[in-house]
Amino acid sequence: GILALAAASGTAQAATNSEPTIAEQAVALRPGQYVWDTKSPSNGPVFLTIDLTTQRATLYRDGVLVAASSISTGSEGRETPTGVFTILEKQVMHRSSTYDNAPMPYMQRLTWKGVAMHAGDLPGYAASHGCIRFPTEFAKKLYAVTEIGTPVMITDQAKIAERERRAAEFQSANDEYVRAKVEQQVAANRALIEFNRAKAAHEKLLRQREAEMQKYKAAIASR
């Protein structure tokens, strides 16, 4: 619902403003870049989305898309988990207790098992140990508008598309199976009708022959 409202809002903004929308600018972001609408609402609930496929983060406030950023998420074998999370902890300067005391500026924890959002290196592809890295200035701005409990939705459009493709294939195969079963049943019903018709005709013929035989026997007996 939030995303649908945001899309409708973005369409309305595009119709009244000749400048590129945040959504349009987000598509063109390069590694290390971000965009933030300074005229966006300053109040209202905040909602952040992370797309592992596009390596983009989008921030909504009161249902309006207000910012977007390039990101770097978990590399192969250390993938960032998908799902809906909430911010559990925040620290302006945090150091990893797992990865050699590595600095994690503007850290916002999503799980207690090592997944967090923070400022970091952005090579243009997924390269972290599972965390979500942001440009430093974006991480700083984001840190200022979130709070403990702010929802964060992490999705993978490639996986979603693959699931949808498989679901469509399954549905198509199921529809074909149902159609074939219906055709088989129709054919079976037609064959049964023909069999019953032939059987009735055969039984009628037997009765006629039996009647003729009785007449013949009666004629012989009367001589």
Side-chain angles (χ1 to χ4, degrees), residues 3-49:
L3 296 179
L5 178 60
S9 174
T11 301
Q13 290 177 2
T16 58
N17 191 347
S18 59
E19 296 181 0
T21 64
I22 296 296
E24 291 170 339
Q25 295 179 66
V27 175
L29 289 176
R30 295 180 179 180
Q33 293 183 330
Y34 75 94
V35 59
W36 195 291
D37 185 3
T38 58
K39 300 178 182 178
S40 62
S42 58
N43 295 310
V46 171
F47 180 70
L48 182 69
T49 69

Side-chain angles (χ1 to χ4, degrees), residues 129-198:
H129 291 93
C131 288
I132 300 98
R133 300 175 184 168
F134 298 126
T136 300
E137 285 304 311
F138 181 86
K140 182 178 181 180
K141 287 177 176 289
L142 180 67
Y143 191 94
V145 300
T146 60
E147 57 187 21
I148 302 299
T150 294
V152 178
M153 182 172 69
I154 303 176
T155 64
D156 190 331
Q157 292 301 322
K159 289 184 178 180
I160 292 174
E162 178 62 16
R163 284 198 298 267
E164 291 177 345
R165 184 189 66 78
R166 291 183 180 182
E169 287 184 351
F170 173 80
Q171 186 61 48
S172 177
N174 185 66
D175 292 344
E176 179 63 23
Y177 172 77
V178 171
R179 184 191 64 77
K181 289 290 290 183
V182 170
E183 290 182 351
Q184 291 174 3
Q185 188 61 52
V186 170
N189 292 342
R190 186 182 299 114
L192 181 60
I193 292 173
E194 291 298 326
F195 171 78
N196 289 333
R197 183 182 294 116

